[in-house]
């Protein structure tokens, strides 16, 4: 019975990773579409952010930000520096 819990836990971890990668892919592919087919980037960003936020893990949002935001923008986020969060 313990194996089932371990398998179920692993299945949920994989599902979360797949959701994260799908949202990253969704945002980045929207940027590469023709202007006529492209949705507003902020709208897509917000919907991806909300979908990942429903998972309840702030680390996943950080991974999303790191993947889609330019490095200089990501560096300005207060949550992006692990040293700043160590004391919180």
């Amino acid at each position: 019975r313990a194996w089932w819990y371990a398998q179920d836990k692993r299945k949920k971890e994989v599902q979360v990773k797949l959701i994260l990668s799908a949202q990253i892919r969704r945002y980045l592919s929207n940027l590469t579409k023709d202007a006529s087919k492209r949705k507003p980037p902020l709208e897509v960003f917000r919907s991806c952010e909300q979908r990942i936020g429903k998972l309840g893990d702030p680390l996943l949002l950080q991974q999303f930000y790191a993947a889609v935001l330019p490095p200089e923008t990501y560096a300005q986020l207060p949550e992006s520096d692990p040293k700043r969060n160590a004391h919180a």
Side-chain angles (χ1 to χ4, degrees), residues 22-31 41 44-45 48 64 68:
Q23 296 304 307
I24 291 170
R25 200 170 50 250
R26 178 177 170 224
Y27 178 78
L28 294 176
S29 70
N30 182 59
L31 295 178
V44 176
F45 182 85
C48 293
F64 175 71
V68 301

Side-chain angles (χ1 to χ4, degrees), residues 51-60:
R51 176 66 181 105
I52 295 169
K54 287 180 183 177
L55 299 173
D57 188 356
L59 185 60
L60 295 173

Side-chain angles (χ1 to χ4, degrees), residues 27-45:
Y27 178 78
L28 294 176
S29 70
N30 182 59
L31 295 178
T32 60
K33 290 182 180 179
D34 291 337
S36 61
K37 296 182 179 182
R38 186 182 311 163
K39 292 182 181 177
L42 184 59
E43 180 183 315
V44 176
F45 182 85

Side-chain angles (χ1 to χ4, degrees), residues 62-82:
Q62 290 303 314
Q63 292 174 353
F64 175 71
Y65 296 149
V68 301
L69 293 176
E72 56 276 359
T73 305
Y74 178 70
Q76 293 176 0
L77 293 177
E79 300 88 25
S80 64
D81 188 1

